Protein backbone atom coordinates (compact mmCIF):
# COMPACT_ATOMS: atom_id res chain seq x y z
CA UNK A 1 0.00 0.00 0.00
CA UNK A 2 1.14 3.54 -0.65
CA UNK A 3 1.38 5.75 2.47
CA UNK A 4 -1.61 8.02 3.13
CA UNK A 5 -2.86 10.50 5.71
CA UNK A 6 -5.94 9.54 7.73
CA UNK A 7 -8.53 12.15 8.77
CA UNK A 8 -11.58 11.63 10.93
CA UNK A 9 -13.83 14.72 10.67
CA UNK A 10 -16.58 15.51 13.15
CA UNK A 11 -19.33 16.38 10.67
CA UNK A 12 -20.44 15.79 7.07
CA UNK A 13 -19.69 19.45 6.22
CA UNK A 14 -16.16 19.06 7.55
CA UNK A 15 -15.69 15.86 5.53
CA UNK A 16 -16.81 17.52 2.28
CA UNK A 17 -14.56 20.53 2.94
CA UNK A 18 -11.59 18.21 3.54
CA UNK A 19 -12.33 16.25 0.36
CA UNK A 20 -12.38 19.34 -1.85
CA UNK A 21 -11.50 19.01 -5.53
CA UNK A 22 -8.39 16.93 -4.85
CA UNK A 23 -8.52 13.61 -6.74
CA UNK A 24 -5.93 12.17 -4.38
CA UNK A 25 -8.37 12.40 -1.47
CA UNK A 26 -11.05 9.74 -0.92
CA UNK A 27 -13.84 9.02 1.55
CA UNK A 28 -13.43 5.83 3.58
CA UNK A 29 -16.57 4.11 4.89
CA UNK A 30 -16.42 0.37 5.64
CA UNK A 31 -13.27 -0.04 3.56
CA UNK A 32 -14.49 -3.34 2.09
CA UNK A 33 -13.99 -2.17 -1.50
CA UNK A 34 -11.49 0.66 -1.05
CA UNK A 35 -8.94 -1.19 1.11
CA UNK A 36 -8.61 -4.15 -1.29
CA UNK A 37 -8.12 -1.59 -4.11
CA UNK A 38 -5.38 0.09 -2.05
CA UNK A 39 -3.68 -3.23 -1.31
CA UNK A 40 -3.75 -4.13 -5.00
CA UNK A 41 -2.46 -0.63 -5.80
CA UNK A 42 -5.44 0.01 -8.03
CA UNK A 43 -6.03 3.17 -5.99
CA UNK A 44 -3.38 5.28 -4.29
CA UNK A 45 -5.01 8.22 -2.50
CA UNK A 46 -2.77 10.42 -0.39
CA UNK A 47 -5.56 11.25 2.10
CA UNK A 48 -8.40 9.07 3.43
CA UNK A 49 -11.35 10.78 5.14
CA UNK A 50 -13.09 8.39 7.52
CA UNK A 51 -16.85 8.99 7.32
CA UNK A 52 -18.02 5.75 8.96
CA UNK A 53 -18.92 7.31 12.31
CA UNK A 54 -20.37 10.65 11.16
CA UNK A 55 -23.63 11.16 13.10
CA UNK A 56 -25.49 12.55 10.02
CA UNK A 57 -24.69 9.34 8.14
CA UNK A 58 -25.71 6.99 10.97
CA UNK A 59 -29.38 8.04 11.15
CA UNK A 60 -32.49 5.94 10.66
CA UNK A 61 -35.80 7.72 10.10
CA UNK A 62 -39.08 5.86 9.70
CA UNK A 63 -41.80 7.89 8.01
CA UNK A 64 -45.27 7.20 6.67
CA UNK A 65 -44.01 6.50 3.15
CA UNK A 66 -41.06 4.30 4.09
CA UNK A 67 -37.61 4.46 5.54
CA UNK A 68 -34.66 6.86 5.29
CA UNK A 69 -31.44 5.00 6.08
CA UNK A 70 -28.12 6.73 6.77
CA UNK A 71 -25.32 6.03 4.29
CA UNK A 72 -23.01 4.69 6.98
CA UNK A 73 -25.44 2.05 8.23
CA UNK A 74 -23.78 -1.31 7.72
CA UNK A 75 -25.19 -4.18 5.70
CA UNK A 76 -25.75 -6.02 9.01
CA UNK A 77 -27.73 -3.08 10.42
CA UNK A 78 -29.93 -2.91 7.29
CA UNK A 79 -30.40 -6.70 7.52
CA UNK A 80 -31.80 -6.18 11.02
CA UNK A 81 -34.58 -3.81 9.93
CA UNK A 82 -37.97 -5.41 9.38
CA UNK A 83 -39.63 -2.41 7.65
CA UNK A 84 -39.01 -3.72 4.12
CA UNK A 85 -38.40 -7.48 4.42
CA UNK A 86 -36.97 -7.85 0.89
CA UNK A 87 -34.38 -5.14 1.60
CA UNK A 88 -33.42 -6.79 4.90
CA UNK A 89 -33.09 -10.20 3.24
CA UNK A 90 -30.98 -8.72 0.45
CA UNK A 91 -28.63 -7.02 2.93
CA UNK A 92 -28.37 -10.26 4.91
CA UNK A 93 -27.22 -12.08 1.76
CA UNK A 94 -24.18 -9.84 1.19
CA UNK A 95 -20.73 -11.43 1.54
CA UNK A 96 -20.05 -12.92 4.96
CA UNK A 97 -20.50 -11.70 8.53
CA UNK A 98 -17.29 -9.64 8.51
CA UNK A 99 -18.22 -7.87 5.26
CA UNK A 100 -21.75 -7.21 6.55
CA UNK A 101 -20.43 -5.78 9.83
CA UNK A 102 -18.08 -3.34 8.07
CA UNK A 103 -19.50 -2.58 4.59
CA UNK A 104 -22.01 0.24 4.31
CA UNK A 105 -25.05 1.14 2.23
CA UNK A 106 -23.48 4.40 0.96
CA UNK A 107 -20.14 2.78 0.16
CA UNK A 108 -21.82 0.07 -1.86
CA UNK A 109 -23.79 2.64 -3.91
CA UNK A 110 -20.87 5.03 -4.44
CA UNK A 111 -18.60 2.16 -5.50
CA UNK A 112 -21.29 0.82 -7.89
CA UNK A 113 -19.80 -2.61 -8.41
CA UNK A 114 -21.59 -4.31 -11.34
CA UNK A 115 -22.74 -6.97 -8.85
CA UNK A 116 -23.78 -4.74 -5.95
CA UNK A 117 -26.76 -6.18 -4.07
CA UNK A 118 -27.86 -2.82 -2.64
CA UNK A 119 -27.97 -1.28 -6.12
CA UNK A 120 -30.72 -3.78 -7.01
CA UNK A 121 -32.82 -2.75 -4.00
CA UNK A 122 -32.31 0.97 -4.59
CA UNK A 123 -33.27 0.74 -8.27
CA UNK A 124 -35.96 -1.88 -7.70
CA UNK A 125 -37.71 0.16 -5.02
CA UNK A 126 -37.28 3.48 -6.86
CA UNK A 127 -35.39 4.93 -3.89
CA UNK A 128 -33.83 8.40 -3.71
CA UNK A 129 -30.17 8.99 -2.85
CA UNK A 130 -29.68 12.10 -0.69
CA UNK A 131 -26.25 13.72 -0.81
CA UNK A 132 -24.72 16.73 0.90
CA UNK A 133 -26.10 18.92 -1.93
CA UNK A 134 -29.10 17.31 -3.69
CA UNK A 135 -31.43 14.34 -4.13
CA UNK A 136 -30.81 11.86 -6.95
CA UNK A 137 -33.54 9.46 -8.11
CA UNK A 138 -32.37 5.85 -8.46
CA UNK A 139 -33.20 5.85 -12.18
CA UNK A 140 -30.53 8.53 -12.75
CA UNK A 141 -27.94 7.40 -10.20
CA UNK A 142 -26.26 4.29 -11.67
CA UNK A 143 -24.48 5.23 -14.90
CA UNK A 144 -22.03 2.42 -15.74
CA UNK A 145 -19.48 0.06 -14.21
CA UNK A 146 -18.08 1.83 -11.09
CA UNK A 147 -19.66 5.06 -12.36
CA UNK A 148 -22.49 7.02 -10.76
CA UNK A 149 -24.08 10.46 -11.02
CA UNK A 150 -22.04 11.61 -7.97
CA UNK A 151 -19.59 14.49 -8.35
CA UNK A 152 -16.07 13.48 -7.20
CA UNK A 153 -16.46 15.23 -3.82
CA UNK A 154 -20.18 14.54 -3.35
CA UNK A 155 -21.06 12.67 -0.15
CA UNK A 156 -24.02 10.29 0.11
CA UNK A 157 -25.78 11.13 3.36
CA UNK A 158 -28.80 8.80 3.26
CA UNK A 159 -31.13 6.78 1.06
CA UNK A 160 -34.89 7.21 1.13
CA UNK A 161 -36.63 3.88 0.45
CA UNK A 162 -40.36 4.12 -0.30
CA UNK A 163 -42.29 1.22 1.27
CA UNK A 164 -43.42 -1.09 -1.57
CA UNK A 165 -46.81 -2.84 -1.65
CA UNK A 166 -44.77 -6.03 -1.99
CA UNK A 167 -41.22 -6.87 -2.99
CA UNK A 168 -38.87 -9.84 -3.32
CA UNK A 169 -35.24 -10.56 -4.18
CA UNK A 170 -33.54 -13.67 -5.53
CA UNK A 171 -29.90 -14.20 -6.43
CA UNK A 172 -27.40 -16.89 -7.35
CA UNK A 173 -24.38 -16.29 -5.11
CA UNK A 174 -20.81 -16.60 -6.16
CA UNK A 175 -19.84 -19.28 -3.60
CA UNK A 176 -16.48 -17.62 -2.84
CA UNK A 177 -17.54 -13.99 -2.28
CA UNK A 178 -21.32 -13.95 -1.96
CA UNK A 179 -21.59 -11.39 -4.77
CA UNK A 180 -24.55 -12.16 -7.04
CA UNK A 181 -23.62 -13.86 -10.31
CA UNK A 182 -27.09 -12.48 -11.09
CA UNK A 183 -29.65 -10.98 -8.71
CA UNK A 184 -33.18 -9.80 -9.50
CA UNK A 185 -35.26 -7.46 -7.33
CA UNK A 186 -39.00 -7.23 -8.08
CA UNK A 187 -41.29 -4.68 -6.44
CA UNK A 188 -44.85 -3.50 -6.75
CA UNK A 189 -44.62 0.17 -5.81
CA UNK A 190 -47.12 3.03 -5.81
CA UNK A 191 -45.53 4.05 -9.14
CA UNK A 192 -45.94 0.59 -10.73
CA UNK A 193 -43.96 -2.61 -11.10
CA UNK A 194 -40.17 -2.37 -11.06
CA UNK A 195 -37.70 -5.14 -11.95
CA UNK A 196 -33.99 -4.47 -11.35
CA UNK A 197 -31.15 -6.80 -12.33
CA UNK A 198 -27.65 -6.79 -10.83
CA UNK A 199 -24.55 -8.84 -11.71
CA UNK A 200 -25.49 -9.23 -15.36
CA UNK A 201 -24.41 -5.93 -16.96
CA UNK A 202 -22.04 -2.99 -16.51
CA UNK A 203 -24.25 -1.89 -13.63
CA UNK A 204 -27.75 -2.51 -12.32
CA UNK A 205 -30.53 -2.09 -14.91
CA UNK A 206 -34.32 -2.40 -15.26
CA UNK A 207 -36.28 -4.79 -17.48
CA UNK A 208 -39.26 -2.95 -19.03
CA UNK A 209 -40.65 -6.12 -20.75
CA UNK A 210 -40.74 -8.00 -17.46
CA UNK A 211 -42.33 -5.00 -15.71
CA UNK A 212 -45.10 -4.77 -18.34
CA UNK A 213 -45.81 -8.51 -18.14
CA UNK A 214 -46.05 -8.41 -14.33
CA UNK A 215 -48.25 -5.31 -14.45
CA UNK A 216 -50.76 -7.39 -16.45
CA UNK A 217 -50.46 -10.49 -14.32
CA UNK A 218 -48.32 -10.54 -11.16
CA UNK A 219 -47.35 -14.20 -11.28
CA UNK A 220 -44.10 -15.99 -12.19
CA UNK A 221 -45.94 -17.63 -15.12
CA UNK A 222 -46.43 -14.19 -16.71
CA UNK A 223 -42.69 -14.14 -17.43
CA UNK A 224 -42.71 -17.40 -19.43
CA UNK A 225 -41.44 -16.80 -22.94
CA UNK A 226 -39.70 -13.51 -22.11
CA UNK A 227 -36.02 -13.59 -23.01
CA UNK A 228 -33.24 -11.15 -22.11
CA UNK A 229 -30.98 -10.30 -25.07
CA UNK A 230 -27.51 -11.76 -24.50
CA UNK A 231 -25.84 -8.80 -26.18
CA UNK A 232 -24.13 -6.60 -23.59
CA UNK A 233 -24.44 -9.07 -20.71
CA UNK A 234 -21.33 -9.92 -18.67
CA UNK A 235 -19.31 -12.99 -19.50
CA UNK A 236 -16.47 -14.09 -17.19
CA UNK A 237 -15.01 -17.12 -15.42
CA UNK A 238 -18.18 -17.44 -13.32
CA UNK A 239 -20.84 -17.52 -16.05
CA UNK A 240 -21.40 -17.00 -19.75
CA UNK A 241 -23.69 -14.26 -21.02
CA UNK A 242 -26.15 -16.96 -22.16
CA UNK A 243 -26.26 -18.47 -18.67
CA UNK A 244 -26.77 -15.03 -17.11
CA UNK A 245 -29.66 -14.36 -19.52
CA UNK A 246 -31.21 -17.67 -18.46
CA UNK A 247 -30.70 -16.85 -14.76
CA UNK A 248 -32.47 -13.51 -15.15
CA UNK A 249 -35.68 -15.29 -16.20
CA UNK A 250 -35.44 -17.92 -13.46
CA UNK A 251 -34.56 -15.46 -10.69
CA UNK A 252 -37.24 -12.95 -11.71
CA UNK A 253 -39.81 -15.74 -11.27
CA UNK A 254 -38.37 -16.66 -7.86
CA UNK A 255 -38.35 -13.00 -6.79
CA UNK A 256 -42.06 -12.73 -7.71
CA UNK A 257 -42.78 -15.86 -5.66
CA UNK A 258 -40.97 -14.28 -2.69
CA UNK A 259 -42.87 -10.99 -2.91
CA UNK A 260 -44.62 -9.96 0.30
C1 LIG B 1 -14.88 -10.68 0.15
C2 LIG B 1 -15.95 -9.65 -0.20
C3 LIG B 1 -17.23 -10.09 -0.48
C4 LIG B 1 -18.21 -9.16 -0.83
N1 LIG B 1 -19.47 -9.63 -1.14
C5 LIG B 1 -20.41 -8.75 -1.54
C6 LIG B 1 -21.73 -9.20 -1.89
O1 LIG B 1 -22.08 -10.37 -1.78
N2 LIG B 1 -22.62 -8.27 -2.31
C7 LIG B 1 -22.30 -6.92 -2.39
O2 LIG B 1 -23.14 -6.13 -2.78
N3 LIG B 1 -21.08 -6.47 -2.02
C8 LIG B 1 -20.14 -7.36 -1.60
N4 LIG B 1 -18.90 -6.89 -1.23
C9 LIG B 1 -18.63 -5.42 -1.26
C10 LIG B 1 -19.06 -4.80 0.06
O3 LIG B 1 -20.47 -4.80 0.10
C11 LIG B 1 -18.56 -3.36 0.27
O4 LIG B 1 -18.86 -3.11 1.58
C12 LIG B 1 -19.17 -2.24 -0.54
O5 LIG B 1 -19.00 -2.46 -1.90
C13 LIG B 1 -18.47 -0.91 -0.25
O6 LIG B 1 -18.89 -0.38 0.96
P1 LIG B 1 -17.85 0.18 2.03
O7 LIG B 1 -18.64 0.84 3.08
O8 LIG B 1 -16.94 -0.91 2.45
O9 LIG B 1 -17.10 1.30 1.16
P2 LIG B 1 -15.55 1.69 1.05
O10 LIG B 1 -14.76 0.52 0.60
O11 LIG B 1 -15.10 2.39 2.27
O12 LIG B 1 -15.65 2.76 -0.13
C14 LIG B 1 -15.97 2.37 -1.45
C15 LIG B 1 -16.01 3.62 -2.34
O13 LIG B 1 -17.15 4.41 -2.03
C16 LIG B 1 -16.76 5.73 -1.62
N5 LIG B 1 -17.71 6.07 -0.54
C17 LIG B 1 -17.95 5.36 0.58
N6 LIG B 1 -18.97 5.91 1.26
C18 LIG B 1 -19.37 7.00 0.57
C19 LIG B 1 -20.38 7.99 0.78
N7 LIG B 1 -21.20 7.97 1.85
N8 LIG B 1 -20.51 8.97 -0.15
C20 LIG B 1 -19.71 9.02 -1.25
N9 LIG B 1 -18.74 8.12 -1.48
C21 LIG B 1 -18.57 7.12 -0.59
C22 LIG B 1 -15.30 5.60 -1.18
O14 LIG B 1 -14.59 6.82 -1.34
C23 LIG B 1 -14.80 4.55 -2.14
O15 LIG B 1 -14.50 5.13 -3.39
C24 LIG B 1 -17.91 -7.78 -0.88
C25 LIG B 1 -16.61 -7.33 -0.56
C26 LIG B 1 -15.63 -8.25 -0.24
C27 LIG B 1 -14.25 -7.77 0.12
Amino acid sequence: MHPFRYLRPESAAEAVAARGEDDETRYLAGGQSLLPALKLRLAHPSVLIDIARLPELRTLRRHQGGLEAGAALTHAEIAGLDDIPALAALAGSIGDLQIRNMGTLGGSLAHNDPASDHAAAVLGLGATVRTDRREIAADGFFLDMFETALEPDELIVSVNFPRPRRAGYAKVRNPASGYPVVGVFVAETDGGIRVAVTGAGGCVFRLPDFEAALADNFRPGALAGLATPVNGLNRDIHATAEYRAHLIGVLAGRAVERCR
Side-chain angles (χ1 to χ4, degrees):
M1 268 203 275
H2 288 275
F4 56 83
R5 278 200 312 132
Y6 171 85
L7 303 180
R8 195 194 288 177
E10 300 282 323
S11 69
E14 218 181 281
V16 175
R19 172 69 174 80
E21 302 293 315
D22 181 5
D23 277 349
E24 294 298 305
T25 304
R26 298 278 287 274
Y27 296 127
L28 173 71
Q32 300 306 296
S33 293
L34 187 52
L35 290 187
L38 259 62
K39 287 181 182 169
L40 293 168
R41 300 186 173 223
L42 296 171
H44 30 81
S46 48
V47 183
L48 289 185
I49 304 168
D50 191 340
I51 56 168
R53 297 174 189 81
L54 291 179
E56 299 103 310
L57 273 63
R58 300 266 323 137
T59 54
L60 178 66
R61 188 173 70 85
R62 294 184 164 91
H63 54 87
Q64 215 177 5
L67 178 74
E68 184 169 351
L73 293 188
T74 62
H75 307 322
E77 286 168 325
I78 305 275
L81 303 173
D82 53 12
D83 306 71
I84 304 175
L87 172 65
L90 172 145
S93 81
I94 292 175
D96 55 33
L97 199 57
Q98 252 178 313
I99 302 292
R100 292 196 293 276
N101 279 336
M102 293 298 293
T104 67
L105 172 62
S108 184
L109 300 182
H111 187 60
N112 197 18
D113 189 286
S116 160
D117 281 294
H118 274 307
V122 166
L123 189 64
L125 290 167
T128 304
V129 178
R130 190 162 72 79
T131 76
D132 62 295
R133 63 200 68 170
R134 59 180 169 151
E135 297 197 336
I136 310 173
D139 284 316
F141 184 82
F142 304 100
L143 300 187
D144 207 341
M145 192 178 286
F146 303 119
E147 207 186 317
T148 69
L150 292 173
E151 299 292 332
D153 64 333
E154 197 164 0
L155 180 71
I156 302 177
V157 174
S158 63
V159 180
N160 198 3
F161 293 100
R163 185 173 292 109
R165 294 178 189 168
R166 47 187 165 168
Y169 182 60
K171 82 182 202 186
V172 166
R173 288 169 62 94
N174 174 320
S177 67
Y179 272 113
V181 175
V182 174
V184 182
F185 196 97
V186 173
E188 184 184 8
T189 71
D190 289 346
I193 306 292
R194 297 175 69 96
V195 178
V197 179
T198 189
C203 67
V204 66
F205 60 91
R206 288 175 67 184
L207 284 177
D209 290 0
F210 284 48
E211 293 174 355
L214 292 172
D216 275 352
N217 178 11
F218 198 82
R219 288 166 191 271
L223 304 174
L226 288 181
T228 309
V230 169
N231 223 355
L233 293 189
N234 298 339
R235 52 183 82 232
D236 53 29
I237 55 166
H238 305 300
T240 61
E242 289 75 13
Y243 184 54
R244 282 193 163 89
H246 170 72
L247 281 182
I248 289 172
V250 172
L251 294 173
R254 282 187 200 161
V256 172
E257 275 168 11
R258 287 179 192 172
C259 275
R260 60 189 172 98

